[in-house]
Amino acid sequence: RDLLLEIADRNGWLATVQKAQKKFEASKLSRTKEAATIDRLIASDPRNANYRERRLAVYRGLAENAIASGNHIEARSIALDGVKSVETVLRQGANVEHLIDMRIRFWVIIAAAEKLSGKPWQASFEKSGTLINEHARKNPKFVKPAMRMRDGLWAHLIKQEE
């Protein structure tokens, strides 16, 4: 299992480098290989929440790559799958704060994909704020870092298109 995790990590790292080099198809292929490796791990140990959390990073990487390459509809679809996956992992009792952060990120990606494709996006962006406020009731210190993360990610995603 350690070897499979290492292979997944290397594919994820390679995908990040390829995206930075604007080699979007190669990056997508590397992320797909990363996903397949993590899916094998999940199949071998379906109750392992760590593997499922790792799979969320693949959704995020694929969605951000799709935005960077101009495939906004695909980015939205991938991010929506990520939201569903977060809900599944949350039901398994995994690291809640990390998952809330991921859920916020996915809603920002969805909003950016909608905005960049000319669709109404405000409701999706507002969903990220709602999630921040809901979690703030339990952890008030979460608000400022979450807002900075959300606003920074939004600016980064929208800037990629300019």
Side-chain angles (χ1 to χ4, degrees), residues 6-109:
E6 189 172 317
I7 291 168
D9 285 345
R10 288 179 187 213
N11 279 309
W13 175 84
L14 181 59
T16 300
V17 170
Q18 290 165 326
K19 178 182 164 238
Q21 294 172 339
K22 300 194 183 314
K23 296 178 180 176
F24 301 119
E25 285 303 313
S27 178
K28 183 178 179 179
L29 180 61
S30 294
R31 285 282 177 214
T32 302
K33 288 178 182 178
E34 178 188 17
T37 304
I38 293 172
D39 288 345
R40 277 184 60 194
L41 289 165
I42 291 170
S44 72
D45 187 1
R47 295 175 43 168
N48 188 317
N50 181 47
Y51 295 157
R52 293 198 180 275
E53 284 186 50
R54 300 272 306 248
R55 184 63 168 85
L56 295 174
V58 177
Y59 285 114
R60 179 179 164 205
L62 283 167
E64 289 184 4
N65 185 65
I67 282 191
S69 67
N71 294 321
H72 308 126
I73 293 169
E74 179 183 10
R76 183 181 186 279
S77 176
I78 293 167
L80 283 169
D81 288 344
V83 169
K84 292 175 194 167
S85 189
V86 168
E87 299 302 329
T88 300
V89 178
L90 275 170
R91 284 192 298 275
Q92 295 174 342
N95 180 345
V96 174
E97 196 148 311
H98 168 70
L99 293 173
I100 290 168
D101 178 81
M102 287 297 286
R103 202 163 44 165
I104 293 164
R105 288 176 188 273
F106 284 130
W107 281 107
V108 172
I109 292 167

Side-chain angles (χ1 to χ4, degrees), residues 107 110-112 114-115 119-129 154:
W107 281 107
I110 292 165
E114 290 168 347
K115 179 177 174 70
K119 297 185 184 326
W121 55 273
Q122 291 86 349
S124 296
F125 191 77
E126 287 173 16
K127 178 69 175 172
S128 67
W154 176 258

